[in-house]
């Protein structure tokens, strides 16, 4: 199929609805294929229309020529652009626009030889084509092919398409060829159909007429009748369009409907869009029967109530605040109401309705289940005395004890058992496990040690020995259980101290060699290395102290003045007596620079000296100039020199002959800012520092970067927030749980809110309590009366089972149903009657035995 952007048949149908053409009547086309549209209207209609429109002929012809030229140019432009097609043998673009231009030319050629109404028809067709409102598929197959209508998509296709699609899909693999029902797709929308849904007959679009005859005045495959199909979704109306392709449009009927909540009055709306909201509050009573719906006008049932109210539990003993949407809840108290028997109480946990009958009333069975009795609920069912016969824990044998209460004992029957490794077998009691003494020689998962487990079945356990390998820190050995691969990093922490020892930081073991000492805020305590009694105040640091900048103040030799130069006791001087190296392979034995004391400079203090009169005039005194430079922060350091005087200027200001200030800014920084000013020496205040400060968070797990000016100008609370990584605190509380707070300064709050499960001493009652309360209070959960009764019953059952085991009598299995009835005469006196009867029978038997013995003796004597 070739996909084009215009569907000419829809245009023809729209044009053929003209009343003038309808007055000429319908005609049936002869010799045309199914689904094809004729190219010429009836000749009579054309001639009559031409005669009545002689004046419109010229104007229509000229407009048609203009439209045809513009469309031909558009077709030429579209043909030169890339387009998609399923055909592989496309023709090259020629003068008429290539293959697409030929298609348009062949489609419009029947209309170019006519005038009048033909031209009006063509103009309408061309206007519809230029709008490009629809994209339809045009079939280029032969006209006599079998055409079928699809039920779901209402599209037409050739029957051969469905058969070929099924064949191609099913022949993908040789294994399932012809065995599975593969779906086949619609050629237009790719909707998949089952093989059983393949259409076999040709119907019109609406499905009313089978094998519709071709009609040049109708849309191909259309019967011309009203569609009549029910709209989807179903609204009770039917489609009133003529038989048409594709799905029916939305229902256009006008109906009078109210809003979704029904409060507003009815308004006329389209049936397809009749659902509308008045935007008012719903206000309907919710299922909780207390609150109303606060949502705007909506469809369907109201949502569950989002509020919370005080609600009673099922038994009515407790009340708690719960969501209104879930009013039914149960507390953890036992019901305890007296049952109908009057002797026992209900043992069910909080419930609604009646408690029911006593569970001990009615027909009850003994412990082994072989005998049933009807006894009062206050009387326990006695044991029947028969063999228990229940399956033991081994699952192979049954209990050989008499009917007893409680659990059966362990199986003691001797069976032949095979050891775990399968080498030996032995007769042992059924409940015992047989393990031989042979040891396993396989290597464990660590690939270092042997298993050495007795009677190993082959699934050797993981190695439980200590690893003991040296860790990467080179200080400790691995404390973990023996394992494969590399060991974990050393878990120990090492303290790194500053030079004075006041500031300490902890780092993982092994990193202390490469970690710089922490910054200390204390003053340096090292002794002075020069002749001054104390150094300038500076912070604690590692290494040697910075050079002393105090004035020397030593008396100069030969005069009474003091040395004004900075301290020069420890000055770095290049070593002059270094030995020459023989080559680059030798290492220098002495440092390149050494610290040494320099002598004081010559005295530069001016003194009055007499000079001849002819030599008097301005001269240099040898002292520094001292005039204030343009930066207003420094003075000229040149020796006393001539300065050009400027009228009305300050004599303390530097002149053109003075030096230019080339030093950096030396103004004091704001408190806490460790960065120097990036500008050269300047007037006024320094700009705010925009550099980033790298800091550790409170938990020492992350590195944070904050803007210097933001951190130094923040208050204490803001600084605490800026130095927090906002992750959960990794510290462990004294109770063993992890701190729930975000990264914070100082000690953690020890009031742990983690829920801990506690059990009563008999482990029947379980409840959750906060960890802090468990550590603060003792005996939060104790046994109640039910626990004591259960322990008492368990002890009685064990005692009775022990007594039964001491008797050791066995009886055959029997199943008797005993009913508590009144004793009759026979039951009362049966022992008294049976004893004399048994005595008489024994006497008769003895008499007959004596007679037989006498006869045998007489016979032997006669012989």
């Amino acid at each position: 199929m070739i996909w084009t952007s215009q569907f000419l048949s829809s245009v023809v149908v729209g044009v053929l609805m003209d009343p003038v053409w309808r007055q000429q009547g319908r005609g049936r086309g002869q010799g045309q294929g199914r689904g094809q549209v004729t190219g010429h209207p009836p000749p009579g209609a054309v001639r009559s229309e031409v005669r009545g429109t002689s004046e419109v002929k010229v104007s229509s012809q000229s407009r048609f020529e203009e439209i045809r030229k513009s469309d031909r140019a558009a077709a030429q432009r579209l043909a030169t652009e890339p387009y998609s097609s399923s055909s592989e043998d496309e023709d090259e673009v020629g003068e008429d626009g290539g293959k697409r231009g030929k298609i348009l030319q062949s489609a419009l050629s029947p209309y170019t030889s006519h005038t009048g109404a033909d031209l009006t028809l063509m103009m309408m067709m061309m206007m519809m084509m230029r709008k490009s409102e629809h994209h339809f598929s045009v079939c280029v197959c032969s006209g006599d092919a079998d055409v079928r209508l699809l039920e779901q998509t209402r599209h037409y296709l050739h029957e051969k398409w469905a058969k070929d699609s099924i064949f191609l899909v099913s022949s993908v693999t040789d294994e399932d060829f012809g065995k599975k029902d593969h779906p086949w797709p619609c050629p237009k929308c790719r909707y998949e159909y089952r093989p059983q849904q393949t259409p076999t007959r040709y119907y019109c679009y609406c499905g009313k007429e089978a094998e519709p005859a071709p009609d040049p005045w109708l849309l191909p495959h259309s019967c011309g009748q009203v569609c009549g199909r029910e709209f989807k979704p179903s609204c009770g109306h039917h489609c009133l369009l003529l038989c048409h392709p594709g799905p029916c449009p939305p229902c256009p009927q006008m109906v009078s409907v109210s809003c979704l909540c029904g409060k507003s009055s009815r308004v006329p709306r389209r049936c397809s869009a009749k659902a509308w909201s008045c935007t008012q509050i719903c206000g309907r009573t919710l299922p909780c029967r207390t609150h109303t719906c606060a949502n705007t006008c909506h469809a369907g049932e109201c949502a569950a109530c989002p509020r919370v109210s005080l609600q009673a539990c099922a038994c009515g003993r407790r009340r708690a605040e719960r969501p209104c949407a879930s009013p039914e809840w149960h507390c953890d108290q036992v019901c305890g109401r007296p049952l109908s028997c009057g002797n026992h109480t209900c043992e069910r946990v909080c419930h609604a309705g009646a408690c029911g009958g006593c569970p001990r009333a009615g027909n009850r069975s003994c412990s082994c289940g072989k005998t049933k009795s009807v006894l009062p609920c206050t009387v326990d069912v006695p044991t029947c005395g028969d063999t228990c016969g229940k399956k033991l824990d081994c699952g192979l044998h049954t209990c050989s004890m008499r009917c007893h209460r409680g659990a059966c004992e362990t199986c003691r029957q001797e069976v032949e058992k095979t050891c775990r490794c399968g080498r030996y077998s032995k007769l042992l009691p059924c409940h015992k496990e047989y393990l031989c003494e042979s040891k396993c020689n396989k290597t464990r998962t660590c690939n270092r040690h042997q298993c050495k487990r007795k009677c190993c079945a082959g699934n050797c356990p993981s190695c439980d020995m200590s690893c003991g390998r040296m860790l990467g820190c080179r200080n400790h050995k691995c404390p973990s259980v023996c394992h494969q691969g590399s060991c974990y990093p050393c878990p120990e922490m090492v303290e790194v101290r500053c030079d004075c020892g006041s500031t300490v930081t902890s780092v993982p073991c092994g990193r202390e060699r490469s970690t710089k000492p922490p910054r200390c805020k204390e003053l340096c305590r090292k002794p002075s290395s020069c002749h001054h009694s104390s150094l300038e105040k500076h912070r604690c640091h590692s290494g040697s102290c910075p050079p002393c900048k105090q004035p020397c103040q030593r008396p100069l030799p030969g005069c009474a003045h003091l040395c004004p130069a900075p301290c020069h006791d420890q000055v770095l001087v290049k070593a002059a007596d270094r030995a020459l190296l023989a080559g680059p392979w030798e290492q220098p034995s002495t440092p390149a620079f050494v610290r040494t004391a320099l002598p004081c400079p010559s005295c530069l203090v001016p003194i009055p000296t007499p000079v001849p009169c002819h030599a008097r005039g301005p001269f240099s005194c040898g002292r520094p100039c001292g005039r204030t430079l343009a930066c207003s922060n420094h003075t000229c350091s040149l020796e006393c020199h001539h300065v050009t005087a400027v009228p009305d200027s300050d004599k303390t200001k530097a002149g053109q002959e003075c030096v230019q200030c080339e030093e950096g800014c030396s103004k004091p920084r704001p408190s806490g800012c460790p960065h120097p000013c990036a500008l050269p020496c300047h007037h006024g205040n320094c700009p705010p520092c925009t550099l980033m400060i790298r800091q550790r968070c409170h938990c020492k797990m992350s590195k944070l970067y904050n803007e210097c000016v933001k951190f130094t100008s923040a208050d204490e609370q803001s600084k605490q927030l800026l130095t927090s990584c906002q992750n959960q605190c990794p510290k462990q509380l004294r109770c063993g749980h992890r701190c729930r707070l975000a990264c914070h300064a100082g000690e953690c709050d020890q009031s742990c809110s983690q829920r801990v499960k506690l059990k009563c001493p008999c482990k029947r009652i379980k409840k959750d309590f906060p960890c802090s309360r468990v550590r603060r209070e003792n005996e939060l959960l104790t046994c109640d009366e039910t626990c004591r009764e259960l322990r008492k019953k368990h002890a009685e059952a064990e005692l009775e089972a022990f007594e039964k085991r001491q008797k050791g009598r066995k009886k055959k299995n029997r199943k008797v149903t005993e009913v508590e009835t009144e004793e009759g005469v026979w039951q009362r006196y049966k022992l008294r009657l049976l004893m004399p009867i048994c005595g008489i029978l024994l006497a008769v038997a003895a008499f007959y035995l004596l007679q037989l013995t006498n006869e045998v003796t007489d016979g032997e004597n006669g012989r």
Side-chain angles (χ1 to χ4, degrees):
M1 290 188 177
I2 299 175
W3 301 86
T4 63
S5 61
Q6 289 83 18
F7 187 35
L8 297 179
S9 59
S10 61
V11 180
V12 174
V13 171
V15 176
L16 292 180
M17 299 299 291
D18 191 284
V20 179
W21 285 43
R22 278 196 173 276
Q23 292 176 6
Q24 305 300 325
R26 286 198 199 177
R28 295 280 181 177
Q30 302 294 332
Q32 298 178 4
R34 179 178 301 170
Q36 296 178 347
V37 181
T38 57
H40 301 276
V46 175
R47 292 192 186 97
S48 60
E49 194 70 16
V50 171
R51 294 190 190 98
T53 57
S54 57
E55 296 179 358
V56 185
K57 177 178 180 180
V58 178
S59 60
S60 300
Q61 181 70 24
S62 59
R63 291 189 62 188
F64 174 72
E65 291 296 335
E66 294 177 359
I67 294 174
R68 186 174 66 173
K69 291 179 180 179
S70 61
D71 287 332
R72 189 181 294 273
Q76 178 73 19
R77 185 176 65 258
L78 291 173
T80 56
E81 294 178 355
Y83 62 96
S84 61
S85 174
S86 61
S87 176
E88 297 180 356
D89 51 347
E90 298 290 343
D91 298 335
E92 296 182 355
V93 178
E95 294 182 358
D96 296 334
K99 190 170 184 178
R100 182 168 291 189
K102 294 179 180 179
I103 293 174
L104 292 174
Q105 184 178 7
S106 60
L108 303 177
S109 59
Y111 298 94
T112 56
S113 60
H114 296 278
T115 56
D118 290 346
L119 300 179
T120 305
L121 170 65
M122 281 304 303
M123 286 190 293
M124 296 177 64
M125 290 175 61
M126 298 301 291
M127 291 173 65
M128 291 291 290
M129 291 170 64
R130 291 177 66 182
K131 289 183 180 179
S132 299
E133 294 176 349
H134 304 284
H135 295 267
F136 295 93
S137 57
V138 178
C139 179
V140 295
C141 298
S142 60
D144 56 351
D146 295 332
V147 183
R148 300 290 182 261
L149 177 67
L150 300 179
E151 291 291 336
Q152 297 291 337
T153 58
R154 314 302 298 179
H155 296 148
Y156 275 97
L157 82 161
H158 292 284
E159 187 176 3
K160 187 175 181 296
W161 170 275
K163 294 180 179 179
D164 292 347
S165 299
I166 296 175
F167 177 80
L168 291 174
V169 175
S170 62
S171 61
V172 174
T173 58
D174 297 335
E175 289 79 5
D176 59 352
F177 179 73
K179 297 179 181 179
K180 295 183 179 180
D181 292 339
H182 295 281
W184 57 272
C186 171
K188 182 174 182 180
C189 65
R190 316 309 296 175
Y191 181 87
E192 291 188 347
Y193 291 88
R194 297 191 304 273
Q196 296 80 3
Q197 294 178 320
T198 304
T200 56
R201 294 197 62 187
Y202 170 47
Y203 286 93
C204 63
Y205 292 111
C206 63
K208 293 180 180 178
E209 185 176 343
E211 304 290 338
D215 190 340
W217 309 102
L218 296 177
L219 190 68
H221 314 299
S222 175
C223 64
Q225 305 179 37
V226 176
C227 176
R229 285 181 290 178
E230 190 174 1
F231 289 111
K232 293 181 181 180
S234 179
C235 63
H237 303 127
H238 296 79
C239 181
L240 300 179
L241 299 178
L242 297 183
C243 181
H244 60 88
C248 297
C251 181
Q253 293 286 346
M254 296 296 294
V255 293
S256 180
V257 291
S258 181
C259 64
L260 295 174
C261 65
K263 291 183 178 180
S264 300
S265 57
R266 293 178 174 271
V267 295
R269 293 180 66 88
R270 294 282 184 186
C271 182
S272 58
K274 59 185 177 182
W276 63 285
S277 174
C278 63
T279 67
Q280 298 183 15
I281 301 299
C282 175
R284 285 184 283 187
T285 303
L286 297 175
C288 65
R289 300 181 181 179
T290 305
H291 306 105
T292 57
C293 180
N295 297 330
T296 55
C297 177
H298 61 87
E301 298 292 335
C302 297
C305 183
R307 301 187 182 182
V308 177
S309 61
L310 194 64
Q311 300 175 7
C313 64
C315 64
R317 295 182 182 179
R318 290 187 179 181
R319 298 176 68 84
E321 288 189 352
R322 292 180 56 82
C324 288
S326 56
E328 295 183 2
W329 66 285
H330 301 271
C331 65
D332 55 355
Q333 293 186 358
V334 179
C335 177
R337 287 182 286 186
L339 299 177
S340 57
C341 65
N343 301 318
H344 301 94
T345 57
C346 180
E347 297 181 357
R348 295 166 58 190
V349 182
C350 175
H351 66 88
C355 296
C358 180
R360 296 170 60 88
N363 197 1
R364 290 182 288 164
S365 300
C366 63
S367 299
C368 66
K370 295 179 180 179
T371 304
K372 296 183 179 180
S373 303
V374 179
L375 297 173
C377 63
T378 56
V379 179
D380 294 335
V381 179
T383 56
C384 65
D386 203 348
T387 305
C388 176
K390 294 181 181 178
K391 282 278 187 181
L392 297 176
D393 294 338
C394 64
L396 302 174
H397 308 104
T398 57
C399 181
S400 59
M401 297 172 56
R402 287 187 178 184
C403 179
H404 60 89
R405 295 185 178 90
C408 298
E409 64 179 5
T410 56
C411 183
R412 300 182 182 278
Q413 187 169 347
E414 287 194 352
V415 294
E416 186 176 1
K417 287 199 169 188
T418 306
C419 66
R420 189 164 53 188
C421 64
R423 295 182 182 181
Y424 309 99
S425 59
K426 188 178 181 181
L427 286 174
L428 286 175
C430 186
H431 70 278
K432 289 187 178 180
E433 184 182 7
Y434 177 37
L435 300 176
C436 67
E437 296 297 325
S438 59
K439 294 184 178 180
C440 179
N441 294 325
K442 292 184 179 179
T443 306
R444 296 190 177 183
T445 54
C446 64
N447 293 330
R448 296 174 60 192
H449 305 102
Q450 287 184 336
C451 178
K452 295 298 182 182
R453 187 174 65 157
K454 289 184 179 181
C455 195
C456 181
N459 52 344
C460 301
S462 55
C463 187
D464 55 355
M465 300 180 67
S466 179
C467 177
R469 287 182 286 188
M470 184 62 70
L471 297 177
C473 65
R474 301 300 176 186
N475 298 326
H476 305 93
K477 293 184 179 181
C478 180
S480 303
V481 178
C482 191
H483 57 86
Q484 288 184 347
S486 302
C487 299
Y488 285 102
C490 183
E492 300 293 334
M493 300 295 289
V494 180
E495 292 184 350
V496 177
R497 297 179 176 272
C498 65
D499 194 73
C500 66
S502 301
T503 306
V504 182
T505 183
S506 297
V507 296
C509 181
R511 293 189 183 179
E512 67 274 8
R513 305 181 190 89
S514 60
T515 302
K516 295 180 179 180
R519 293 183 178 179
C520 181
K521 297 182 180 179
E522 301 292 333
L523 295 177
C524 181
R525 303 173 186 173
K526 293 181 181 180
S528 176
S529 59
C530 62
H531 66 278
H532 293 100
S533 59
S534 62
L535 295 176
E536 294 178 324
K537 293 183 179 181
H538 60 279
R539 289 186 178 181
C540 176
H541 58 88
S542 58
S544 58
C545 292
C548 180
K549 296 182 179 180
Q550 301 180 69
C552 179
Q553 296 296 317
R554 283 181 175 177
L556 294 173
C559 68
H561 299 107
L562 300 178
C563 179
C567 181
H568 43 82
D569 287 351
Q570 295 287 332
V571 180
L572 282 175
V573 180
K574 190 173 182 179
D577 55 347
R578 295 186 68 192
L580 296 177
L581 301 179
W585 57 87
E586 280 195 55
Q587 295 294 332
S589 58
T590 56
F593 293 88
V594 293
R595 291 186 178 273
T596 183
L598 298 179
C600 294
S602 302
C603 182
L604 300 177
V605 178
I607 56 175
T609 303
V611 293
C613 183
H614 69 275
R616 187 178 61 182
F619 64 95
S620 174
C621 63
R623 292 180 295 175
C625 175
R627 290 176 177 259
T628 305
L629 299 180
C631 64
S632 301
N633 300 322
H634 301 93
T635 57
C636 179
S637 59
L638 297 178
E639 188 177 341
C640 178
H641 60 89
H642 173 74
V643 177
T644 304
V646 179
D648 300 333
S649 64
D650 190 0
K651 294 183 179 180
T652 60
K653 297 292 183 180
Q656 297 179 358
E657 293 80 3
C658 294
V659 297
Q660 300 293 328
C661 183
E662 297 178 352
E663 298 186 13
C665 178
S666 58
K667 292 184 179 180
R669 304 297 295 161
S671 176
C673 178
H675 309 111
C677 180
L679 300 178
C681 191
H682 60 87
H683 287 285
N685 298 327
C686 298
C689 182
T690 59
L691 298 177
M692 304 300 289
I693 301 177
R694 185 177 69 176
Q695 296 172 313
R696 286 279 185 180
C697 63
H698 299 300
C699 59
K700 309 299 181 184
M701 297 293 289
S702 303
K703 291 183 179 179
L704 305 178
Y705 292 88
N706 295 314
E707 196 172 355
C708 183
V709 62
K710 186 184 296 184
F711 184 79
T712 54
S713 61
D715 55 1
E716 191 63 28
Q717 185 176 1
S718 301
K719 287 184 179 180
Q720 295 290 342
L721 186 61
L722 288 173
T723 53
S724 173
C725 62
Q726 302 301 323
N727 295 326
Q728 186 179 356
C729 179
K731 299 176 185 176
Q732 197 173 27
L733 304 180
R734 286 195 292 267
C735 62
H737 296 122
R738 186 178 175 182
C739 180
R740 290 292 188 91
L741 302 177
C743 178
H744 60 89
E747 296 294 331
C748 298
D749 186 8
Q750 296 298 328
S751 58
C752 180
S753 60
Q754 182 79 18
R755 305 292 293 183
V756 179
K757 182 175 290 185
L758 291 184
K759 297 181 181 179
C760 67
C762 69
K763 299 183 180 181
R764 186 185 72 86
I765 304 175
K766 301 177 183 178
K767 283 188 178 180
D768 292 343
F769 294 94
C771 179
S772 57
R773 185 180 174 186
V774 173
R775 293 187 291 108
R776 187 174 60 253
E777 302 178 14
N778 296 327
E779 297 183 0
L780 285 175
L781 195 61
T782 58
C783 292
D784 56 3
E785 292 297 331
T786 306
C787 296
R788 298 188 187 95
E789 291 178 1
L790 290 176
R791 280 189 291 181
K792 184 178 180 181
K793 289 180 180 180
H794 184 67
E796 292 176 355
E798 288 184 351
L799 180 60
E800 186 176 355
F802 177 75
E803 292 176 353
K804 291 297 182 181
R805 284 196 297 269
Q806 298 301 322
K807 295 180 180 180
R809 297 180 59 186
K810 298 182 180 180
K811 289 187 178 181
K812 295 182 179 180
N813 295 335
R814 67 173 184 265
K815 190 171 184 181
V816 182
T817 303
E818 297 179 359
V819 182
E820 188 178 15
T821 57
E822 294 183 0
E823 296 183 355
V825 178
W826 168 254
Q827 292 179 350
R828 292 180 181 177
Y829 304 103
K830 60 182 179 181
L831 294 177
R832 299 179 183 179
L833 295 175
L834 288 175
M835 290 179 65
I837 293 173
C838 292
I840 295 171
L841 292 176
L842 289 173
V844 172
F847 176 75
Y848 277 108
L849 287 174
L850 290 174
Q851 291 292 334
L852 290 173
T853 305
N854 293 333
E855 290 178 358
V856 172
T857 304
D858 293 341
E860 291 178 356
N861 294 332
R863 290 178 184 177

